[in-house]
Amino acid sequence: MDTYLVQFVVTLEITRKLSSPYHLFGLKKQFPSAFRLAVGCYDSKDGCLGGKECPCRQAFGQELSTDPSLLRRHQKPPTPFLFDILPLQGGAKAGSRVEVKLLLAGSAATASVRIYLESLLHLFGDNPIFAVKGVKLSKIEALSLDSSRSFIGDSSGKLELSAIPVAGFDEFLSASTGISSSITLLFSTPLRLMSAGSPLREIPFAPLAGSLFRRISSIASYYGGVELDHDFKWLADMSREIRCSSSALEWVNWGSGLQGLIGEATYKGDLTGFIPFLKLGELLHAGKGASYGMGRYKILR
């Protein structure tokens, strides 16, 4: 078995000048309501009128497993979706276009794709209650791992779902990467890793690796029905041997809870076993708030 992934690019047209570079991160407030409207379980208190099997419960509930063995292995699950958002440099002018990505994992990538895409139509549409203000949807495209795109739909509401490219965790975690002794990561949205209840002000490799291990294995278990067979205890021990050789990080506070570290960090050591997780983490992000754009990073070298 595998845990499937699908990814979409949403092209947005700016309808009025946006002065805040972080305007699109505000979609976190509207998305649950837009999703419930697409499902048909929305009520005026932004609750769910559906039952325990309602798709919105699966999307936002993050309910712990009743299986004691799974509870020992995994903490509270993340959501099965993730928005990839970048700040609008200097804001955005009316008439310009920007892109937001949506990634779905596991059951969300197989059983609930249409609901998520219809949610985007509400989120970036004309509804004055649920829509993100100042933008409107231009088109939705499916994105493959080789960066090719296929048209899915536009603001008309018609969606073509017959040719969505599907990837899987196995493509990353089983890939041969060769020997690696150094890697540089660029953190472009705030990464917030916690230790003893407080956010770290540096990014040692071990906490970063641990965050990725927990996130990836939990998504695979809760939404893919897959228990990864990697020796995470051994990997955790090995991660403590990796050192940060250079760091150009700064703590930022973008407001509305968008706090964390951005910048570059280079790590050296025996990184070979960690590269597949780091590559998958480029899609899944790391740390707190990853579902709505936080903890985004890119492998530079």
Side-chain angles (χ1 to χ4, degrees):
M1 294 179 65
D2 196 3
T3 303
Y4 298 114
L5 295 168
V6 295
Q7 193 171 17
F8 300 95
V9 180
V10 186
T11 301
L12 303 172
E13 182 181 343
I14 307 300
T15 58
R16 61 177 173 82
K17 182 180 179 180
L18 302 178
S19 58
S20 171
Y22 319 118
H23 181 82
L24 293 178
F25 287 86
L27 64 79
K28 178 179 181 179
K29 296 180 180 178
Q30 287 98 330
F31 179 63
S33 296
F35 189 93
R36 291 182 178 113
L37 190 64
V39 172
C41 68
Y42 177 82
D43 71 11
S44 59
K45 296 181 180 179
D46 197 22
C48 173
L49 296 176
K52 185 170 64 173
E53 301 301 320
C54 182
C56 85
R57 302 278 179 99
Q58 297 172 358
F60 306 108
Q62 297 178 267
E63 297 176 358
L64 293 170
S65 172
T66 56
D67 184 336
S69 64
L70 289 182
L71 285 177
R72 287 193 296 269
R73 289 194 293 270
H74 305 291
Q75 299 176 350
K76 184 179 180 180
T79 64
F81 66 86
L82 177 148
F83 284 97
D84 188 356
I85 312 167
L86 281 174
L88 305 171
Q89 298 300 326
K93 297 180 180 179
S96 61
R97 295 194 172 191
V98 297
E99 293 181 346
V100 170
K101 294 177 183 175
L102 171 66
L103 180 139
L104 307 178
S107 54
T110 54
S112 304
V113 170
R114 180 173 291 277
I115 295 173
Y116 278 94
L117 295 184
E118 289 178 352
S119 301
L120 297 178
L121 296 173
H122 293 306
L123 188 66
F124 301 118
D126 298 324
N127 191 307
I129 299 176
F130 305 111
V132 178
K133 293 179 174 59
V135 298
K136 68 177 182 179
L137 188 144
S138 176
K139 62 181 176 180
I140 303 172
E141 298 169 292
L143 182 66
S144 65
L145 290 181
D146 64 4
S147 298
S148 61
R149 301 184 180 193
S150 54
F151 181 80
I152 297 297
D154 54 25
S155 58
S156 69
K158 296 179 180 179
L159 300 171
E160 175 53 60
L161 307 182
S162 61
I164 297 174
V166 179
F169 279 22
D170 283 353
E171 292 182 53
F172 295 87
L173 301 182
S174 301
S176 176
T177 60
I179 297 173
S180 179
S181 60
S182 178
I183 193 168
T184 298
L185 305 179
L186 170 65
F187 299 92
S188 51
T189 63
L191 173 68
R192 193 150 59 99
L193 298 176
M194 307 299 290
S195 177
S198 298
L200 295 174
R201 296 301 177 118
E202 292 291 339
I203 309 178
F205 187 76
L208 174 61
S211 173
L212 291 174
F213 296 156
R214 291 189 296 273
R215 181 166 176 77
I216 291 170
S217 63
S218 183
I219 290 175
S221 178
Y222 276 91
Y223 305 115
V226 177
E227 291 300 318
L228 301 180
D229 60 1
H230 296 75
D231 189 341
F232 288 107
K233 185 177 185 303
W234 178 79
L235 285 168
D237 290 340
M238 290 290 292
S239 71
R240 299 184 185 98
E241 303 299 320
I242 308 298
R243 62 186 179 88
C244 181
S245 62
S246 66
S247 174
L249 298 167
E250 63 172 319
W251 181 267
V252 296
N253 184 353
W254 292 349
S256 301
L258 302 175
Q259 300 178 352
L261 292 164
I262 62 171
E264 290 187 23
T266 298
Y267 302 96
K268 291 189 175 181
D270 185 0
L271 287 151
T272 304
F274 301 101
I275 299 301
F277 292 96
L278 289 165
K279 286 184 175 293
L280 184 51
E282 282 187 297
L283 294 181
L284 298 177
H285 298 191
K288 296 288 187 180
S291 296
Y292 291 98
M294 297 275 278
R296 183 187 195 270
Y297 70 85
K298 181 177 178 60
I299 299 173
L300 296 184
R301 295 182 293 277

